[in-house]
Amino acid sequence: MSAAAATGALQSKWDAAQAAAMNEVERLVYRSNLLGSDPRITNYGGGNTSVKVTETDPLTGEDVRVLWVKGSGGDLGTMRRAGLASLYLDPVLAFEKRYREGLAEDAIVALYPLCNFNLNPTACSIDTPLHAFVPKAHVDHLHPDSVIAIAAAEDSEALTREAFGGRIGYLPWKRPGFELGLMLRDLIEAHPDLDGAVMGSHGLICWADTAEACYALSLKLINQAAEFLESRSKAEPFGPIVRPARRDDAREALVALVPKLRGLAAHEGKRLIAEIDTSDATLDFLAREAMPRLAALGTSCPDHFLRTKIRPLVLGGDTDDAALEQAFEAYRAEYAAYYERCKRSNSPAIRNPNPSVILVPGLGMIAFGKNKKEAQVTCEFYQRAIEVMRGAEGVSKYTALPEQEAFDIEYWLLEEAKLKRMPPEKEFSRQVAVVTGAAQGIGRATAMRLASLGACVVALDLNEEKLKETVAEIDGAIAVRCDVTSADALRAAFEEAILQFGGVDVAVVSAGNARRGTLLDTSDEDYAFLSDLLMRAYFETARAATRIMVRQGTGGSVVFVASKNAVATGSNAAIYSAAKAFELHLMRTAANDLAKHGIRCNAVNPDAVLQGSGIWNDQWKTETAAALGIPPDGLQEYYRNRTLLHVEVSADDVAQAIVWLASEARSSRTTGAVIPVDGGIREGFLR
C-alpha cells in the first residue's frame, strides 16, 4: 500500500476567502506552503511552483510577462516571497535559439541572472525551463511518493497511461535543465489537452489557469496515483519477512552502536549529526526479503540521492568494532571506485566517501548530516525512497537511475556551485554539547552561547520548569530533566544525547550548589549532599561523556566549572571548597589520561556570579551578607570592589571562557588548564 493510501487521501486546505485577498504572487507563496507542508506531496527542499503574471517594467513603464518561480535551494513548505525568483519570461524563452546554436545547458543557467526582473537577487531553480515553456499561468512540479513510484517502475510509461488515462503525458528520464523544458513544451504542443506529465524517475508536473485550480489538480493527481497503486498492489511488495523486525535490546544496541558509526562516518576531522529512525515502516522494510536488492539499487528521484548518496550501507548481524570498520572500508572503496568510473574531466573532487544512510536490520536507519536539520532531511528522503520502492514493487519492479546519470546529478557542477553559496558553518557546527546545570546561571549562559555558535545542545537540570524556559530560547536544543547525583538518571541523559544527535563532543560539567559550614559544624547531611553533587556527580558526568567520546574516536572536550574556592578556600565553606579542589585535580588527571584519545579537559574558576545563579538564592545572600557585616543589597558592590579590576562577574563572562576552552578552533592545544574568571582575586591566583 502506498503512503498516501495508508494514511488517507490528501484533503484540500485551500481557504478561498484568505486567498481572495492576495495578489497572484502572494497566492503562489500560499499554494507552495500548502503543498510543501505534507511530505507525501513533496520532500523538503524538493519540487518547485510558479506563476506567470503581467508586471509593469520599471525601466520602460510597459507591461511585460514575468515568471515567478521558486528559488534555487528553497523549500516549498517554508518559503516566503523573498524565496521566489522573478524573470522576464520572453528572454528566457529566447534562449532556445542560443541552445540550438550549441550553447550548453549549464551555460544558459549562468545567463538567467541577466533576466532578473526588478533586480530580484534570488537565484532561480534549475527547473525554470519546465515552468517557462508551459503555456498555462500556474505550474506545480512535485515529488509525491505515489507518482514517483509509478515514474520509477520498470514499465512506468504504461503504468502512467493506466493510472491517469490520456490527460497526463509521459516523458522519459532527462536530467533537469533546458532540454527537459523543451521536451515538455513539445509534448504539450502535440497533446494540447494534457493537464500534466509524469517524468520518468523524477516526478509530477501539472498546470492550470488559476492558483486554486492548480493546487486542486496536484492533490487530485497524487490521490489518483495512490488509489491506483493500492488497487493494483500485491499483498507483500517487499516479499516475506526473513529477519527479525525489531530486536528486544534495540535501545541498548543503538546506544552502543551509533557513536561508533558517527565516528566512522566523520571525514577529514568533520563530524556529522545523526538522526535515528526506528519507525515500523522502516523496520518492516529492513526485515523483508527484497531489502538487500532494493538497497543496492539506491534511490531514484534526483533530490533523494543528492542527500542519500548512490546507495546506503547495509550492516549485517555482526556489529563489533572490527566488523564495522571493515564494512566502512568496503563502502569507501566501492564509493571511490564509483567516482573513478563515472567522473568527468571537470567533476568536483570526491566528497566524503562514507555513507550518509546506514541500515541496520532489527534496529533501524541512521542518517547523517552536517546539522540536525540536514540529518532529518536525509532520513526523510530515504523514508520517502522506501515508500517509492513499496509502490513500484507492488505493481511492477522498482528501477533506479543508471549509475552515470546518478553520478552526474550528485557531482553536477551546478550543485557544487550551490554548495559553495551556502553560508559558512558556525564554530560548533556538527558538534553535540551536553551541559549540566543548564536551567540557570553559568550553565544556562553556556548552553545558550554554544547553541548560538551552532552546537546541538543537550541541556540537563533537575529544575524542569526553568530548564524548559531555557530550552525554549535555544533553537535545536533538547531538555532532559536529570538529577546528576543519580547514576541511572545520568546514564539515561547521555543515552538521550546519543539517540537524539548521535553522540557527545563537548561536556560542560556545571551543575552545582553550596552549603555553609566549617569542618567542625558541617552536618553529615551537608557533607553527603555536597560530596554527591560536586565530587561523585562531576566524576560520573565526565566519565559518561568521555566514554562516548572514546567510542566515537573523534576527540572531544570536557570543561569543569570549579570555583575560586578551589584555590582560595574562603571561610565557612569547608566541604564546598574541598570539593572544588577535588574537581580541579580530577580534571588534571583526566587531561593526563585522555590526551591519547584526543580528549581535552580544562576548567574555569569563577567567583561571585550573583545574577541568575541558583546558588545565590535569598538565603545564601542573607547568610553571606551577615557574615560580611553588610546589608544583602550591598553584596554586588562588595564583590565588585574586592576584585583587582573592580568589575562584576556575570554568568556570560564565565560562559565565554568555557566556550574558549571547548572550542577546537580556539584552544586545540590547551588541556589541563584552569582559567580564573573572577575579576582578579589575589588569593585565587594559580600557583
Side-chain angles (χ1 to χ4, degrees), residues 194-317:
L194 290 178
D195 293 324
V198 170
M199 296 177 285
S201 295
H202 191 165
L204 170 70
I205 189 165
C206 62
W207 44 82
D209 292 320
T210 70
E212 183 176 5
C214 197
Y215 172 74
L217 178 60
S218 291
L219 298 193
K220 175 187 173 183
L221 295 174
I222 295 168
N223 284 334
Q224 195 171 337
E227 291 163 5
F228 170 76
L229 294 176
E230 183 181 18
S231 66
R232 288 277 306 274
S233 181
K234 64 184 73 167
E236 294 185 321
F238 295 143
I241 291 176
V242 296
R243 56 189 73 86
R246 189 187 296 271
R247 286 171 47 174
D248 293 337
D249 65 339
R251 180 184 173 91
E252 295 83 357
L254 283 168
V255 166
L257 176 64
V258 172
K260 182 69 176 182
L261 297 180
R262 183 169 179 251
L264 289 168
H267 180 59
E268 295 181 347
K270 293 184 177 181
R271 304 176 179 93
L272 295 166
I273 302 299
E275 172 73 2
I276 301 173
D277 172 23
T278 59
S279 64
D280 290 341
T282 295
L283 287 169
D284 178 79
F285 169 69
L286 298 180
R288 297 286 177 171
E289 180 182 55
M291 182 273 290
R293 170 178 63 85
L294 294 171
L297 291 174
T299 58
S300 174
C301 180
D303 273 12
H304 288 177
F305 55 71
L306 285 173
R307 303 272 188 169
T308 62
K309 297 195 173 178
I310 186 70
R311 61 183 57 86
L313 169 63
V314 180
L315 295 179

Side-chain angles (χ1 to χ4, degrees), residues 55 180 187 210 227 248 317 412 468 479 483 520 559 665 681 683:
E55 304 266 11
L180 182 59
L187 178 68
T210 70
E227 291 163 5
D248 293 337
W412 199 354
K468 288 180 178 178
D483 177 357
L520 295 175
V559 182
I681 302 293
E683 295 82 357

Side-chain angles (χ1 to χ4, degrees), residues 195-521:
D195 293 324
V198 170
M199 296 177 285
S201 295
H202 191 165
L204 170 70
I205 189 165
C206 62
W207 44 82
D209 292 320
T210 70
E212 183 176 5
C214 197
Y215 172 74
L217 178 60
S218 291
L219 298 193
K220 175 187 173 183
L221 295 174
I222 295 168
N223 284 334
Q224 195 171 337
E227 291 163 5
F228 170 76
L229 294 176
E230 183 181 18
S231 66
R232 288 277 306 274
S233 181
K234 64 184 73 167
E236 294 185 321
F238 295 143
I241 291 176
V242 296
R243 56 189 73 86
R246 189 187 296 271
R247 286 171 47 174
D248 293 337
D249 65 339
R251 180 184 173 91
E252 295 83 357
L254 283 168
V255 166
L257 176 64
V258 172
K260 182 69 176 182
L261 297 180
R262 183 169 179 251
L264 289 168
H267 180 59
E268 295 181 347
K270 293 184 177 181
R271 304 176 179 93
L272 295 166
I273 302 299
E275 172 73 2
I276 301 173
D277 172 23
T278 59
S279 64
D280 290 341
T282 295
L283 287 169
D284 178 79
F285 169 69
L286 298 180
R288 297 286 177 171
E289 180 182 55
M291 182 273 290
R293 170 178 63 85
L294 294 171
L297 291 174
T299 58
S300 174
C301 180
D303 273 12
H304 288 177
F305 55 71
L306 285 173
R307 303 272 188 169
T308 62
K309 297 195 173 178
I310 186 70
R311 61 183 57 86
L313 169 63
V314 180
L315 295 179
D318 191 356
T319 55
D320 63 25
D321 287 0
L324 291 177
E325 289 168 10
Q326 184 177 8
F328 269 76
E329 286 179 11
Y331 187 96
R332 293 183 196 113
E334 181 184 342
Y335 188 86
Y338 150 74
Y339 178 86
E340 291 298 324
R341 286 194 302 272
C342 299
K343 70 178 180 181
R344 309 282 186 175
S345 60
N346 60 347
S347 292
I350 189 171
R351 303 191 190 108
N352 185 350
N354 293 307
S356 59
V357 175
I358 301 172
L359 305 178
V360 191
L363 296 183
M365 167 169 53
I366 300 96
F368 290 106
K370 65 183 179 183
N371 53 48
K372 184 61 174 178
K373 182 62 179 179
E374 187 172 287
Q376 289 172 329
V377 170
T378 300
C379 182
E380 179 188 308
F381 278 14
Y382 204 81
Q383 290 169 337
R384 305 270 60 85
I386 290 172
E387 294 309 316
V388 167
M389 294 173 189
R390 189 188 312 278
E393 288 285 306
V395 297
S396 177
K397 185 178 181 181
Y398 171 77
T399 59
L401 284 176
E403 184 180 77
Q404 187 64 57
E405 292 289 338
F407 179 90
D408 289 343
I409 291 288
E410 184 178 355
Y411 282 90
W412 199 354
L413 288 175
L414 294 180
E415 289 296 334
E416 183 75 6
K418 186 189 298 185
L419 292 175
K420 290 180 178 178
R421 289 198 301 269
M422 298 293 287
E425 293 186 48
K426 294 183 177 181
E427 184 176 355
F428 283 85
S429 179
R430 303 170 180 259
Q431 296 190 55
V432 183
V434 176
V435 181
T436 69
Q440 51 196 332
I442 294 169
R444 181 181 190 275
T446 302
M448 297 187 75
R449 187 162 285 275
L450 285 169
S452 73
L453 294 172
C456 297
V457 173
V458 183
L460 276 54
D461 206 287
L462 187 59
N463 189 328
E464 189 169 15
E465 183 178 348
K466 285 186 177 293
L467 183 63
K468 288 180 178 178
E469 291 174 2
T470 294
V471 169
E473 299 182 39
I474 302 176
D475 185 31
I478 64 167
V480 181
R481 183 186 182 279
C482 179
D483 177 357
V484 294
T485 66
S486 165
D488 290 341
L490 201 56
R491 180 173 59 254
F494 276 95
E495 287 179 358
E496 198 62 25
I498 293 170
L499 296 174
Q500 291 294 327
F501 299 118
V504 177
D505 305 297
V506 174
V508 179
V509 195
S510 178
N513 211 318
R515 298 278 176 89
R516 293 201 174 279
T518 67
L519 180 65
L520 295 175
D521 55 25

